[in-house]
Amino acid sequence: MPKVFVTRRIPEVGPQKLRRQSGWEVAQWDRDEVIPRDTLLQSVRGCDAILSLLTERIDAELLEAAGPQLQVVANLAVGFDNFVVPEMSRRGVIGTNTPDVLTDTTADLAFALMMATARMLPQAQKYVLDGKWTTWEPLGFLGQDIHHATLGLIGLGRIGAAVARRGAGFDMKVIYYDAYRRQDLEQQFGYQYRDSLETVLGEADFVSLHTPLTDETRHLMNAQRLAMMKPTAILINTSRGPVVDPQALYQALKAGTIWAAGLDVTEPEPLPVGDPLLTLHNCLVVPHIASASVNTRNAMSELAADNIINVLSGRAPKTPVNREVVEQKGLR
Ligand code: DGY
């Protein structure tokens, strides 16, 4: 009888679909909080599949605790830096993620952060709530324009390209740097490629990060690179917190060498109350909510469940991250 463990309370559509599989035993950490590591290690014992979150590290220890019958770990996220992929592949465990279904929702949030930081919306709302709005102010809340500004994308994958489309709708000039050049999108939409990250940083009014977290991208935005941005420029991060060096960002925002930052992700995460970044008026932080819409979280839950159902039924998962293991197993 296949055994599945779901590591958190998530939108019901996925767990329900798993429970409808006849003869499957589906257990769940049914709380809205991160499962303690030792409980996780006990809970996955003997499982054929795990539906995990980005808060669970899927490493040798966990794979060992699960045992040799584990076939698939389905992440409820497009990012999978919580997977130690070589270790999973070595043991023949398929990893899956949830791309595509969250692309537009994540791009919407990146754009919302651009607009909120550029036009100082959190500060303006606080001003109203504090009872300080007494007159129309010709010098109050003077922000940066989004329309006709230059949007610099670091990464033009699915989400980067969706942010680019939004930028084009605001008459922005879209420039990008990516290791994989997208001449198709350049020709179709007029996006302009730059052959280095640094060139994008020097030209852009908005820099939006769309790169996975790897050893190469950890602290990609360090003091030196932040110093290349314009003093009027805004940094947006909806990728992973550690792509930005938080101390360097604090210094840049405090000194005003960049204008503002909008962060959906931070290092560490959650960011503790009292963190220096939270003391700054020009740093907007939201709690990793880029994919948080009802429809998208339902779709993520369903896709993660479908990936498990496919693998445990002898079919290829829809969205594997280590395709070579799918091929080794001859799944189609
Ligand atoms: C992801 O999918 O990687 C996000 O960070 C969570 O939606």
Side-chain angles (χ1 to χ4, degrees):
M1 180 200 289
K3 279 178 69 179
V4 183
F5 185 66
V6 182
T7 63
R8 180 86 170 254
R9 190 176 295 167
I10 63 172
E12 258 306 296
V13 51
Q16 255 166 20
K17 217 167 170 175
L18 292 169
R19 283 190 213 104
R20 280 202 300 270
Q21 304 301 304
S22 116
W24 287 26
E25 189 184 313
V26 180
Q28 185 165 9
W29 172 253
D30 198 16
R31 295 203 203 158
D32 196 13
E33 61 188 41
V34 178
I35 184 168
R37 181 74 178 178
D38 48 353
T39 311
L40 175 66
L41 295 178
Q42 278 164 27
S43 307
V44 297
R45 190 153 298 144
C47 281
D48 301 274
I50 301 169
L51 198 161
S52 61
L53 270 61
L54 46 81
T55 39
E56 283 86 57
R57 192 161 163 79
I58 309 299
D59 56 8
E61 180 189 43
L62 181 129
L63 297 166
E64 197 61 44
Q69 71 305 316
L70 182 67
Q71 293 191 50
V72 56
V73 183
N75 224 25
L76 188 85
V78 64
F80 52 92
D81 44 285
N82 57 313
F83 283 1
V84 181
V85 177
E87 194 57 43
M88 294 170 74
S89 299
R90 194 176 71 73
R91 294 166 187 257
V93 175
I94 296 171
T96 68
N97 64 344
T98 58
D100 301 319
V101 293
L102 48 63
T103 298
D104 282 311
T105 301
T106 303
D108 283 351
L109 195 276
F111 219 82
L113 289 174
M114 282 169 55
M115 298 186 80
T117 47
R119 300 301 303 273
M120 310 172 80
L121 299 189
Q123 298 97 310
Q125 192 203 21
K126 184 167 186 311
Y127 188 81
V128 174
L129 294 176
D130 289 348
K132 294 184 177 160
W133 184 21
T134 52
T135 172
W136 183 77
E137 291 180 44
L139 294 175
F141 299 102
L142 303 185
Q144 301 293 337
D145 279 328
I146 297 157
H147 66 87
H148 298 95
T150 298
L151 171 59
L153 298 165
I154 309 304
L156 195 65
R158 295 181 187 89
I159 298 171
V163 175
R165 289 196 294 278
R166 284 155 179 75
F170 275 71
D171 295 320
M172 298 181 89
K173 172 173 156 187
V174 178
I175 62 173
Y176 79 98
Y177 171 72
D178 195 309
Y180 302 97
R181 189 163 172 184
R182 294 294 308 267
Q183 274 163 329
D184 54 336
L185 298 182
E186 291 172 34
Q187 273 152 24
Q188 210 180 340
F189 300 113
Y191 307 153
Q192 297 177 25
Y193 172 72
R194 296 292 181 265
D195 62 6
S196 74
L197 165 62
E198 287 73 16
T199 313
V200 172
L201 297 179
E203 254 183 77
D205 299 305
F206 294 84
V207 173
S208 191
L209 304 175
H210 301 287
T211 171
L213 176 62
T214 63
D215 289 343
E216 288 72 45
T217 62
R218 188 172 295 277
H219 288 190
L220 182 78
M221 291 306 292
N222 55 20
Q224 201 188 358
R225 293 213 175 92
L226 285 163
M228 293 172 185
M229 290 174 62
K230 299 179 187 177
T232 49
I234 294 175
L235 179 71
I236 302 297
N237 191 9
T238 51
S239 63
R240 284 291 181 263
V243 174
V244 178
D245 175 345
Q247 267 111 42
L249 179 62
Y250 172 79
Q251 296 301 343
L253 288 167
K254 177 107 181 128
T257 62
I258 70 172
W259 208 72
L263 309 176
D264 179 48
V265 288
T266 56
E267 181 187 36
E269 207 168 283
L271 202 60
V273 174
D275 185 279
L277 282 172
L278 298 178
T279 65
L280 298 171
H281 72 93
N282 53 351
C283 186
L284 168 58
V285 181
V286 296
H288 204 149
I289 57 168
S291 65
S293 76
V294 175
N295 289 343
T296 291
R297 286 284 164 83
N298 282 339
M300 290 165 69
S301 175
E302 184 164 17
L303 176 54
D306 285 345
N307 279 325
I308 289 176
I309 292 167
N310 278 14
V311 174
L312 297 191
S313 310
R315 298 189 302 271
K318 294 180 174 177
T319 50
V321 304
N322 50 357
R323 194 169 289 282
E324 66 287 359
V325 181
V326 178
E327 280 159 17
Q328 272 159 24
K329 289 177 182 265
L331 302 183
R332 279 171 211 289

